[in-house]
Amino acid sequence: MTKTILCAIDINRPKTERKVLEWAGKLATMEGAQLDVITVVPDYGSAVVGAFFSDDHTAKAKEHAHDLLVKFVSEVIGAEANSKVRHIVGVGTAYHEIISVAEKDGADLIVLGAHRPDLSDYLLGPNAARVVRHSNCSVFVVR
């Protein structure tokens, strides 16, 4: 049975997320695991916010995020490794999408980053903390 590693990155923060993806790539190689990489775009469908965006805004944002994700993964881990990666773009809240995809795909490990703490989230960022707290599999947090 092939192991699966889910790496969650924010494509809007390529400098800090590079390290996260590098770790995920190393772990996947060491374990002979399938590497899945997810990024999440916000859902602008709520009545208040959604009124300011066109009906196809989310679809366009998702498509654009997928293109950026494929390019970024290729730059970081190389084209050959990238060809084996499953690129996933979720829509909604990051922690919810990460946990849902991990459960659906039977991930054995989630790799994600935590930004530098400030007063509002002393140990981990809010998304990382929620994933760690609610995930059914192990979580590797990269600082």
Side-chain angles (χ1 to χ4, degrees), residues 57-139:
H57 178 78
T58 299
K60 286 180 181 176
K62 193 173 175 181
E63 183 179 328
H64 181 65
H66 184 270
D67 294 344
L68 291 174
L69 183 62
V70 170
K71 181 180 176 195
F72 179 67
V73 174
S74 183
E75 288 172 3
V76 175
I77 66 171
E80 185 179 339
N82 186 43
S83 68
K84 299 173 188 160
V85 168
R86 288 188 287 210
H87 304 87
I88 303 163
V89 179
V91 177
T93 56
Y95 70 89
H96 181 264
E97 290 298 308
I98 293 164
I99 291 170
S100 294
V101 168
E103 288 177 359
K104 185 181 122 230
D105 292 347
D108 299 288
L109 177 69
I110 298 171
V111 178
L112 66 137
H115 59 76
R116 294 194 181 268
D118 60 21
L119 292 175
S120 64
D121 43 36
Y122 187 69
L123 294 176
L124 294 174
N127 286 315
R130 286 183 176 126
V131 171
V132 168
R133 193 171 28 248
H134 298 291
S135 175
N136 291 328
C137 66
S138 296
V139 180

Side-chain angles (χ1 to χ4, degrees), residues 4-21:
T4 300
I5 295 176
L6 177 64
C7 176
I9 61 169
D10 180 351
I11 56 169
N12 295 311
R13 299 174 41 189
K15 276 187 171 178
T16 56
E17 297 299 297
R18 175 178 282 285
K19 186 176 175 183
V20 175
L21 185 54

Side-chain angles (χ1 to χ4, degrees), residues 14-57:
K15 276 187 171 178
T16 56
E17 297 299 297
R18 175 178 282 285
K19 186 176 175 183
V20 175
L21 185 54
E22 287 171 349
W23 266 106
K26 288 177 194 175
L27 292 167
T29 299
M30 285 185 341
E31 290 293 319
Q34 167 64 44
L35 179 59
D36 295 349
V37 181
I38 184 172
T39 193
V40 181
V41 296
D43 182 10
Y44 296 110
S46 70
V48 175
V49 177
F52 292 99
F53 296 96
S54 63
D55 291 340
D56 64 344
H57 178 78

